[in-house]
DNA sequence: TGTACATCAGTGAACGCGCGTTCACTGATGTAC
DNA sequence: TGTACATCAGTGAACGCGCGTTCACTGATGTAC
């Protein structure tokens, strides 16, 4: 068939991007390689030109999703707000928005994979952990620049506060997603009941 | 083969209990009916004497798990502490303990199924939602009996506070479970970094 | 109380199907001369 | 710059396997008389 090296690399990225969407939406196990390749615009046989196995793909998908998530975070909340203080509030608002809740295919990759992370391969889970660690650090960066942050009250480290803060965001998002289809009312109520303080 | 009605009912309960464990640990899709029935001590053909389909089983499992979770909560934290105020603190401590984190097969059913709840059948998710709603109410009951609870500061309803509180517990538990295998250190750090205030 | 029979939980083989994976083949890309 | 050839991404058929589900059969339970 014949395809340039750049085109092949792009196709590889397309497969990963498609898998990222499908895996988050329906679960890794529920998505077959045949369906995946078809959704990405190829026939199923080509899969093994790019990946050694389905497990290897999953590992790459998690790694890529975490990397993209980090880049997007930096662009939207760290870089953009480097000289202005409202980054944390904007992140909170975005994270707990209905748009983010309804965008399971996209959005925060930690929230997208946390539910199945216990069942991931060691390698894939390791990519998850690296991305999570980066996110914690980035959130700590937002906290320290927040006007409400009081460096004096430091019984807890900045990192502890970042973890604490993120746990609540994650819990609310996952719970809202978990209930969205059966009870949209409860799903919305969850997002609205969470209070983010420093 | 012949089995009494009571025995048959018990066998049904055994299948549900086994499925509850296996589904939480490995995911619904990853557990086959053949494996499930064998784990419960039966041959696979018998499954359809008890359930109409795998989906029907999942619905029952979620419902049963939520019901048990509620009973256990009431026995351990509501009833036992009806006349003493430390129920909320004890619940927090239990929820964020390493034992609870490591017990994915058991423990809180909301945490056990929240990750896959978006992919559940409407019926199964509906059972999930009912159980979650009960849990929120029970936590609200603990909050109102907590010494630190100040009825005067009521900008937020008791229910809002319960949701807020539970989101953080859930987020921390799920994140700790998500990272436990690859980074036990981070998993422990998450549990220890969460601060529960009223 | 004792016998005859319907019920139905449990067995284990079988069904079609889609899974992850392999393979022989194609043909444009991209290098060697 | 032009020709010859190796590479390798993509194709599509095929592999064995385990999936969810069905079925004919067994035999103790539990009811009817």
């Amino acid at each position: 068939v014949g395809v340039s090296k750049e085109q092949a690399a792009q196709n590889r990225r397309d497969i990963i991007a498609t898998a990222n969407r499908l895996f988050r939406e329906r679960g890794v196990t529920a998505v077959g390689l045949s369906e995946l390749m078809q959704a990405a615009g190829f026939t199923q046989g080509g899969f093994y030109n790019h990946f050694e196995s389905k497990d290897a793909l999953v590992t790459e998908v998690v790694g890529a999703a975490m990397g993209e998530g980090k880049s997007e975070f930096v662009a939207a909340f760290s870089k953009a707000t480097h000289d202005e203080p409202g980054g944390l509030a904007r992140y909170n608002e975005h994270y707990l928005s209905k748009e983010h809740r309804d965008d399971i295919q996209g959005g925060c990759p930690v929230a997208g994979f946390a539910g199945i992370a216990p069942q991931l391969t060691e390698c894939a889970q390791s990519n998850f952990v690296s991305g999570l660690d980066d996110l914690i650090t980035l959130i700590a960066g937002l906290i320290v620049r927040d006007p409400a942050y009081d460096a004096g009250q430091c019984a807890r480290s900045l990192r502890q506060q970042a973890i604490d803060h993120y746990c609540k965001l994650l819990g609310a998002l996952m719970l809202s997603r978990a209930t969205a289809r059966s009870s949209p009312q409860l799903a919305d109520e969850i997002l609205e009941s969470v209070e983010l303080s420093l």
Side-chain angles (χ1 to χ4, degrees), chain A:
Chain A
V1 170
V3 124
S4 71
K5 281 189 190 298
E6 306 94 69
Q7 184 60 55
Q10 181 57 50
N11 292 346
R12 188 179 204 277
R13 267 176 265 124
D14 286 349
I15 296 170
I16 292 176
T18 304
N20 187 22
R21 282 190 289 108
L22 291 177
F23 286 170
R24 291 201 209 187
E25 191 179 36
R26 312 228 314 274
V28 171
T29 323
V31 177
L33 295 186
S34 164
E35 177 193 10
L36 164 65
M37 290 301 283
Q38 204 163 333
F42 304 96
T43 53
Q44 68 171 300
F47 177 84
Y48 292 90
N49 293 326
H50 294 292
F51 307 98
E52 202 182 90
S53 65
K54 191 183 185 184
D55 272 346
L57 169 69
V58 174
T59 300
E60 285 221 43
V61 166
V62 173
M66 290 291 174
E68 284 166 28
K70 182 179 174 181
S71 302
E72 288 167 18
F73 186 108
V74 170
F77 303 106
S78 292
K79 272 215 171 104
T81 63
H82 203 295
D83 292 323
E84 47 116 343
L88 182 62
R90 281 180 47 235
Y91 180 65
N92 291 342
E93 197 174 350
H94 157 261
Y95 208 94
L96 297 183
S97 69
K98 292 174 190 177
E99 292 72 32
H100 191 206
R101 191 263 319 278
D102 294 334
D103 184 23
I104 300 194
Q105 296 191 351
C108 176
V110 175
F113 291 109
I116 57 160
Q119 287 106 40
L120 290 177
T121 309
E122 183 95 31
C123 291
Q125 191 175 122
S126 168
N127 282 346
F128 179 85
V129 167
S130 301
L132 173 59
D133 212 77
D134 288 343
L135 179 60
I136 291 170
T137 304
L138 288 169
I139 292 177
L142 292 190
I143 291 177
V144 79
R145 286 200 294 275
D146 196 85
Y149 175 66
D150 177 7
Q153 65 115 48
C154 276
R156 310 160 77 203
S157 72
L158 207 50
R159 180 172 166 90
Q160 278 180 315
Q161 285 186 68
I163 291 174
D164 179 276
H165 189 88
Y166 183 66
C167 282
K168 192 185 273 191
L169 288 176
L170 180 76
L173 179 61
M174 294 199 69
L175 216 48
S176 186
R177 285 179 173 174
T179 58
R181 190 157 23 94
S182 276
S183 176
Q185 190 187 336
L186 177 58
D188 289 352
E189 187 190 6
I190 290 166
L191 295 181
E192 290 156 10
S193 297
V194 169
E195 186 174 75
L196 287 321
S197 57
L198 267 192

